[in-house]
Amino acid sequence: MGSAVAQCPHGITSHSTGNLGQKKLGYSSRCSKFPCQLDFARFGLLHQGSSAASSSDHSTEFGRRINAVPDMDDMFWDKVPTPLLDMVENPIHLKNLSVQELKELASEIRSELSCIMSEKPNSLKASLAVVELTIAIHHVFHAPVDKILWDVGEQTYAHKILTGRRALMRMMRQKNGLSSFTSRFESEYDSFGTGHGCNSVSAGLGMAIARDIKGKRDRVVTVISNATTLAGQVYEAMSNAGYLDSNMIVILNDSRRSLHPKIEQEPKTSITALSSTLIKIQSSKSFRKGITKRIGRGMHELAAKFDEYARGMIGPQGSTLFEELGLYYIGPVDGHNLEDLICVLQQVSSLDSMGPVLIHVITEDNHQDAECNEKIEADNPQEGYDDSVSSSVQTRTYSDCLVDSLLMEAEKHKDIVLVHAGMEMEPSFQVLQETFADRFFDVGMAEQHAVTFSAGLSRGGLRPFCIIPSTFLQRAYDQVVHDVDRQKIPVRFVITSAGLVGNSGPVYCGAFDVTFMSCLPNMIVMAPSDEDELVDMVATAAQIDDRPVCFRYPRGAIVRTDHFMHPGIPLEIGKGRVLVEGKEVALLGYGAMVQNCLKAQALLSRLGIEVTVADARFCKPLDTELLTLLCENHKFLITVEEGSIGGFASHVAQFIALNGHLDGTVKVSHSQHSLIMNIRNFHFW
């Protein structure tokens, strides 16, 4: 493949020649206006000479590996022929394709995604919805010179395919494979790392301001979704963007997904030929600058108000919110109409001093061509599905046990209410939502609101259980500190997906909750070792009414398989238990790691080594009597947890050090030596 060089005295005119497959590519296109000379041969994925790759040998090796042209002969899945997609190594190869060819490319990408993502139907829907939008963005803009940021990882799969990572898509969420989100360490086309959502507008605004200060003229494009618009940071960033008035483009991918069923049941926003024409006019340079000035003739303020009012009449209900925040609203645009998308994006990108613009794009999660539908139906057959067979072999999870225990406690305490926050709601919690429709509140990605909302429910005389995944609780830590713990308000935090989370990777890894919750002065911190302990801790939390409490549990299957649920028995606060008595060595486990201690004890027992296994139950307050007993009767004390530095082991070590169990005199007088060893089952890939 030959290099492509673009010289741009006033705009970009890019010429590329090369032989990909059986078709020769050559084109000339214009885009963002800024003086530069670009060698697009350098725009591979983390080439050895790139700054991102130089950060580490691992990144360089990974970059060289995923930058390789995929060998189609080695593909190991049955696939529909994709001649256009086979020729696309990076976004520059989209520049010379006609609209009809881009439509064919969109169909091929859908076919590709259906093949490699059929086992992940939820992610597949979000990916299929933005195929045309992704193609249009890369056709109009020049990444990585132009910065493209995404809020949600599930929307970036087409982006990954078009930016040289197609060959490794099947290795997504695997060790040494692709991340399911954008990652700066993976590709130079990923301008900013995402995962927890709602950060792209803030990061994009920062890049835009940095560009302005440095005198550059590249474009900044951020893509947000319905889910991320529930988070307050998006509106904080938009308000600041409106105030700073820096050039940037915010694309709202509106797939009509909402937490409110009434909204989803309303008639969908219609996009007619007339509205499509009006949108093209309002995004044009002549309308933005020429017409308003001619109408105004010195009364630009009045002309701007007229412009805003006219666009409010065209746009759907609520579109004026973005205008009030300071963004120029354009839309709605059909997210599956490539002609309209390309036209609007080209018009907007051609403006030199546009300020922040929001383009409202309407997409469908289930938008697929007939071939994709047939493929998905074949991979996910529904006919003849036997629910009874499925339920008999279905693995029971900790969330299932939590739901059952909450249902039992809700029968005892009619004032129990449930608040759920996070990107997605587990299927288990839908039972609670259906059973307690008036007492279950799902607030989506509004974790900060969820915590303070729960505090208000508690002050109103109710018993709130605030259910938040560990990684998303981090976003609401300020509210936990000031709105709950400092005021000693009894909010019961249920921390889900704690510890390792399998192939979801570091973004969802719940490694830090024990550390940041146990340092709070009034918080009770506990963790169940199995499903029975989880039921008891739900009952314990329901009884506490004078301070906040939290407990964590891991993602995955429970320990037992008999599915028997006993009524919850409140535990004594700050009391652990000894499960197996042994000699010399004591294993003190916290939470799910107690099961690992029991497995280790069973293996050592076969070798004739008898060790003690204890379940701490509580990180705060610690069971000091149990710790003292273990130190006095054993030579070695090993703490086992799933977390980070500053967690359970740190509290144990501090207690032992402050109480003299590590003093040399104690060792001599008791002929014992206490060794603290913390095993953290914690690894990022």
Side-chain angles (χ1 to χ4, degrees), residues 306-317:
F306 175 80
D307 174 21
E308 180 181 343
Y309 176 77
R311 285 181 287 109
M313 295 291 290
I314 299 172
Q317 183 179 4

PDB file of all heavy atoms in Angstrom, residues 306-317:
ATOM      1  N   PHE A 306     -34.908  35.144  16.091  1.00  0.00           N
ATOM      2  CA  PHE A 306     -35.804  34.625  15.061  1.00  0.00           C
ATOM      3  C   PHE A 306     -35.314  33.268  14.565  1.00  0.00           C
ATOM      4  O   PHE A 306     -36.093  32.329  14.359  1.00  0.00           O
ATOM      5  CB  PHE A 306     -35.880  35.622  13.904  1.00  0.00           C
ATOM      6  CG  PHE A 306     -36.694  35.123  12.748  1.00  0.00           C
ATOM      7  CD1 PHE A 306     -38.078  35.179  12.776  1.00  0.00           C
ATOM      8  CD2 PHE A 306     -36.063  34.590  11.625  1.00  0.00           C
ATOM      9  CE1 PHE A 306     -38.820  34.706  11.706  1.00  0.00           C
ATOM     10  CE2 PHE A 306     -36.800  34.121  10.560  1.00  0.00           C
ATOM     11  CZ  PHE A 306     -38.182  34.185  10.594  1.00  0.00           C
ATOM     12  N   ASP A 307     -33.989  33.171  14.372  1.00  0.00           N
ATOM     13  CA  ASP A 307     -33.377  31.905  13.943  1.00  0.00           C
ATOM     14  C   ASP A 307     -33.654  30.806  14.962  1.00  0.00           C
ATOM     15  O   ASP A 307     -34.062  29.694  14.619  1.00  0.00           O
ATOM     16  CB  ASP A 307     -31.878  32.125  13.763  1.00  0.00           C
ATOM     17  CG  ASP A 307     -31.125  30.841  13.456  1.00  0.00           C
ATOM     18  OD1 ASP A 307     -31.763  29.880  13.001  1.00  0.00           O
ATOM     19  OD2 ASP A 307     -29.904  30.812  13.676  1.00  0.00           O
ATOM     20  N   GLU A 308     -33.453  31.112  16.248  1.00  0.00           N
ATOM     21  CA  GLU A 308     -33.669  30.133  17.303  1.00  0.00           C
ATOM     22  C   GLU A 308     -35.132  29.699  17.366  1.00  0.00           C
ATOM     23  O   GLU A 308     -35.444  28.515  17.528  1.00  0.00           O
ATOM     24  CB  GLU A 308     -33.240  30.726  18.648  1.00  0.00           C
ATOM     25  CG  GLU A 308     -33.422  29.778  19.831  1.00  0.00           C
ATOM     26  CD  GLU A 308     -33.003  30.420  21.138  1.00  0.00           C
ATOM     27  OE1 GLU A 308     -32.298  31.445  21.092  1.00  0.00           O
ATOM     28  OE2 GLU A 308     -33.388  29.894  22.200  1.00  0.00           O
ATOM     29  N   TYR A 309     -36.038  30.668  17.214  1.00  0.00           N
ATOM     30  CA  TYR A 309     -37.465  30.348  17.271  1.00  0.00           C
ATOM     31  C   TYR A 309     -37.856  29.450  16.101  1.00  0.00           C
ATOM     32  O   TYR A 309     -38.603  28.477  16.261  1.00  0.00           O
ATOM     33  CB  TYR A 309     -38.286  31.637  17.244  1.00  0.00           C
ATOM     34  CG  TYR A 309     -39.778  31.407  17.211  1.00  0.00           C
ATOM     35  CD1 TYR A 309     -40.463  31.040  18.363  1.00  0.00           C
ATOM     36  CD2 TYR A 309     -40.498  31.557  16.027  1.00  0.00           C
ATOM     37  CE1 TYR A 309     -41.829  30.823  18.337  1.00  0.00           C
ATOM     38  CE2 TYR A 309     -41.865  31.338  15.987  1.00  0.00           C
ATOM     39  CZ  TYR A 309     -42.527  30.976  17.146  1.00  0.00           C
ATOM     40  OH  TYR A 309     -43.881  30.759  17.110  1.00  0.00           O
ATOM     41  N   ALA A 310     -37.336  29.750  14.918  1.00  0.00           N
ATOM     42  CA  ALA A 310     -37.658  28.951  13.739  1.00  0.00           C
ATOM     43  C   ALA A 310     -37.160  27.521  13.892  1.00  0.00           C
ATOM     44  O   ALA A 310     -37.865  26.559  13.557  1.00  0.00           O
ATOM     45  CB  ALA A 310     -37.040  29.595  12.492  1.00  0.00           C
ATOM     46  N   ARG A 311     -35.957  27.366  14.421  1.00  0.00           N
ATOM     47  CA  ARG A 311     -35.421  26.019  14.604  1.00  0.00           C
ATOM     48  C   ARG A 311     -36.157  25.278  15.711  1.00  0.00           C
ATOM     49  O   ARG A 311     -36.279  24.061  15.679  1.00  0.00           O
ATOM     50  CB  ARG A 311     -33.924  26.074  14.890  1.00  0.00           C
ATOM     51  CG  ARG A 311     -33.115  26.382  13.652  1.00  0.00           C
ATOM     52  CD  ARG A 311     -31.622  26.431  13.879  1.00  0.00           C
ATOM     53  NE  ARG A 311     -31.224  27.632  14.600  1.00  0.00           N
ATOM     54  CZ  ARG A 311     -30.805  27.648  15.862  1.00  0.00           C
ATOM     55  NH1 ARG A 311     -30.730  26.515  16.525  1.00  0.00           N
ATOM     56  NH2 ARG A 311     -30.468  28.771  16.437  1.00  0.00           N
ATOM     57  N   GLY A 312     -36.651  26.015  16.709  1.00  0.00           N
ATOM     58  CA  GLY A 312     -37.469  25.386  17.743  1.00  0.00           C
ATOM     59  C   GLY A 312     -38.765  24.842  17.200  1.00  0.00           C
ATOM     60  O   GLY A 312     -39.275  23.818  17.668  1.00  0.00           O
ATOM     61  N   MET A 313     -39.315  25.520  16.184  1.00  0.00           N
ATOM     62  CA  MET A 313     -40.537  25.050  15.547  1.00  0.00           C
ATOM     63  C   MET A 313     -40.278  23.788  14.731  1.00  0.00           C
ATOM     64  O   MET A 313     -41.114  22.887  14.659  1.00  0.00           O
ATOM     65  CB  MET A 313     -41.102  26.151  14.645  1.00  0.00           C
ATOM     66  CG  MET A 313     -41.566  27.390  15.385  1.00  0.00           C
ATOM     67  SD  MET A 313     -43.042  27.077  16.383  1.00  0.00           S
ATOM     68  CE  MET A 313     -44.253  26.863  15.081  1.00  0.00           C
ATOM     69  N   ILE A 314     -39.100  23.705  14.116  1.00  0.00           N
ATOM     70  CA  ILE A 314     -38.754  22.539  13.305  1.00  0.00           C
ATOM     71  C   ILE A 314     -38.404  21.346  14.188  1.00  0.00           C
ATOM     72  O   ILE A 314     -38.807  20.220  13.933  1.00  0.00           O
ATOM     73  CB  ILE A 314     -37.565  22.861  12.372  1.00  0.00           C
ATOM     74  CG1 ILE A 314     -37.930  23.990  11.416  1.00  0.00           C
ATOM     75  CG2 ILE A 314     -37.141  21.624  11.595  1.00  0.00           C
ATOM     76  CD1 ILE A 314     -36.750  24.488  10.593  1.00  0.00           C
ATOM     77  N   GLY A 315     -37.645  21.600  15.241  1.00  0.00           N
ATOM     78  CA  GLY A 315     -37.129  20.522  16.077  1.00  0.00           C
ATOM     79  C   GLY A 315     -38.196  19.892  16.950  1.00  0.00           C
ATOM     80  O   GLY A 315     -39.288  20.438  17.128  1.00  0.00           O
ATOM     81  N   PRO A 316     -37.887  18.725  17.530  1.00  0.00           N
ATOM     82  CA  PRO A 316     -38.839  18.035  18.399  1.00  0.00           C
ATOM     83  C   PRO A 316     -38.951  18.719  19.753  1.00  0.00           C
ATOM     84  O   PRO A 316     -38.180  19.630  20.084  1.00  0.00           O
ATOM     85  CB  PRO A 316     -38.225  16.638  18.535  1.00  0.00           C
ATOM     86  CG  PRO A 316     -36.761  16.860  18.361  1.00  0.00           C
ATOM     87  CD  PRO A 316     -36.635  17.976  17.373  1.00  0.00           C
ATOM     88  N   GLN A 317     -39.873  18.231  20.558  1.00  0.00           N
ATOM     89  CA  GLN A 317     -40.077  18.797  21.888  1.00  0.00           C
ATOM     90  C   GLN A 317     -38.812  18.648  22.731  1.00  0.00           C
ATOM     91  O   GLN A 317     -38.207  17.588  22.771  1.00  0.00           O
ATOM     92  CB  GLN A 317     -41.253  18.089  22.569  1.00  0.00           C
ATOM     93  CG  GLN A 317     -41.611  18.644  23.930  1.00  0.00           C
ATOM     94  CD  GLN A 317     -42.796  17.916  24.534  1.00  0.00           C
ATOM     95  OE1 GLN A 317     -43.285  16.963  23.949  1.00  0.00           O
ATOM     96  NE2 GLN A 317     -43.249  18.359  25.682  1.00  0.00           N
TER      97      GLN A 317
END
